[in-house]
Amino acid sequence: MKVKRIFAPDMRQAMRRVRDEIGADAVIISNHRVAGGVEVVAAREEDYELAQAELRRNQQRNQPKSRPMVAAPTDPTDDALASELRRAQVRISEARRRAEQPEPQVNQTINRQIDAEEDEDLRFILQSLKTRQEEQARKEVSHERNPEPDNLWGSATTSSAPSHADEEPNQLVKSMQQEIQQLRSMMEQQLSQGQHSLAAPSAVPERAKDTPLQARLHSLGLGEGLIRQLTASIEPDLSAEMAWKNTLSRLADSVPVIGEEYIARGGMIAFVGATGVGKTTTIGKLAARYVLQHGSSGLALVTTDCYRIAAHEQLKTFGRILDVPVRVVDENHNLDEVLLSLRGKRLVLIDTAGMNAGDAEGVQQKQMLASVSVRLKKLLVLSCSSQRQLLERAWANYQELELNACVLTKLDESGSIGDALTLAVERQLPVAYVTDGQKIPDDLIVAQRQDLVSRAVLAAQYTGSETGSESDSQMFRAG
């Protein structure tokens, strides 16, 4: 049986990888939390059922020969129900996790699309369970009309009470059906709650008052406060298109950016942010770019992440490829000692562990970064695919470190970058770089105001929430 072990930061990404790598008919064999995320073991349903059948055959061959009765073979439907039950349990745990998270903003088109996709998955599970139950019911009716012999030897002896071998599989099937029915009720409840939250009238009272210009800005994913700021002094006699272009120009002027190659200044730069936002990959891209331009002799890499299993292996791989030293901060070598030993390097890029604000390890990480004796610059790495609440939480978690700038990652995975732009404008946090893919070092560029606004317009047009012309975004590209 071909079994795949998949690691991911959370269950949603793990299930997406299972679907992509194995297929929609994958069976979840086990799942549990590990340091840095979750581990899921999965296999194709067909392979899993064949392996189960082979195991049963081996067990039957190894049974004592003195046993007078041969147990009735397990109905294949039992295996199918058991497999469906395992998949349903995973879906339910994922639905519960989503229910505990903050509700997504109404103006985030990409989140609505993801929710719709997951709702469809749940409906598919419900329909599949219903079909399985109907098939089992037909089998039971057929069995009552045409009962099997009491044993495999075809004895004509009859008995009013079923044998233990016949009764046990039926009890197992009924138990499964009861548990599946409970899961079905829970999933229907989750679906109804999700649909109710999306349709709640309280979510859009202010949007009904939007002007056409404000509605177009909402389609970019911008926050309410920023929209009011951009439209506060727009001349009322301007045409709709001229007002739109003037507002986009104001937006571009308000976005703070570094506007130049940040690593060209040299120094020691720490990259902070939540787990999974792309800190290590961003460091790899910047390191490769620096080596291509200046060589490897003046560069060193450092990691403070000793909490996750093999967390520093990716950074060490970059170091071997680029021929640059990689230092690991641990209980024997604190950050200050490591950085002092690298004072002769022109550029030191520091990868940090992603921690929550309340974690003891997170507090320790921040104290370590704040207490070093060397001058340290800090860049906050933000994923554009994250919701506004998560972006704000990341900023609140690290802002006490006196952040110098930020890096916006995963633009290629986001349906809107308005939330990230809103945070940068409202917190006056300059954008140093943006990344839009996994290629090293190609998919990383120096942030420019006009390009960021152009990307916001293009993203809205791509998702269908903004119907402006292509020229709306083209007018910023040349700038």
Side-chain angles (χ1 to χ4, degrees), residues 168-184:
E168 186 176 356
N170 290 331
Q171 290 178 344
L172 177 61
V173 169
K174 290 179 180 179
S175 175
M176 285 184 178
Q177 287 177 329
Q178 291 174 356
E179 190 166 356
I180 289 174
Q181 184 61 36
Q182 293 174 355
L183 291 171
R184 178 180 179 179

Side-chain angles (χ1 to χ4, degrees), residues 271-329:
F271 293 77
V272 299
T275 301
V277 295
K279 297 188 297 296
T280 307
T281 305
T282 299
I283 289 175
K285 292 175 181 178
L286 291 171
R289 174 175 292 190
Y290 183 87
V291 169
L292 289 174
Q293 295 175 354
H294 307 285
S296 61
S297 61
L299 174 66
L301 306 179
V302 175
T303 177
T304 69
D305 192 350
C306 296
Y307 303 99
R308 295 178 296 154
I309 299 175
H312 50 268
E313 287 303 318
Q314 185 180 4
L315 202 66
K316 286 188 174 180
T317 300
F318 286 139
R320 286 193 297 269
I321 294 173
L322 300 174
D323 191 26
V324 298
V326 178
R327 300 286 185 265
V328 178
V329 175

Side-chain angles (χ1 to χ4, degrees), residues 371-419:
S371 62
V372 294
S373 58
V374 300
R375 183 174 182 270
L376 193 63
K377 292 178 279 190
K378 299 99 176 176
L379 295 188
L380 177 62
V381 182
L382 300 169
S383 170
C384 290
S385 61
S386 298
Q387 300 175 3
R388 176 71 185 279
Q389 296 94 327
L390 298 180
L391 297 176
E392 287 285 352
R393 189 182 304 167
W395 180 85
N397 188 19
Y398 292 102
Q399 57 92 18
E400 64 189 70
L401 295 176
E402 298 181 358
L403 300 168
N404 299 89
C406 68
V407 179
L408 304 184
T409 64
K410 303 186 180 182
L411 269 70
D412 56 316
E413 300 179 14
S414 174
S416 169
I417 65 172
D419 288 329

Side-chain angles (χ1 to χ4, degrees), residues 14 18 24 36 43 75 86 156 171 184 211 232-233 277 288 313 342 370 396 433 456 462:
V18 168
D75 193 329
R86 282 189 292 273
Q171 290 178 344
R184 178 180 179 179
T211 65
S233 56
V277 295
E313 287 303 318
L342 296 173
Y433 295 99
Y462 181 76

Side-chain angles (χ1 to χ4, degrees), residues 106-119:
V106 177
N107 63 346
Q108 290 184 314
T109 303
I110 184 64
N111 291 335
R112 291 201 302 268
Q113 292 175 339
I114 291 175
D115 290 342
E117 176 185 343
E118 290 167 351
D119 289 348

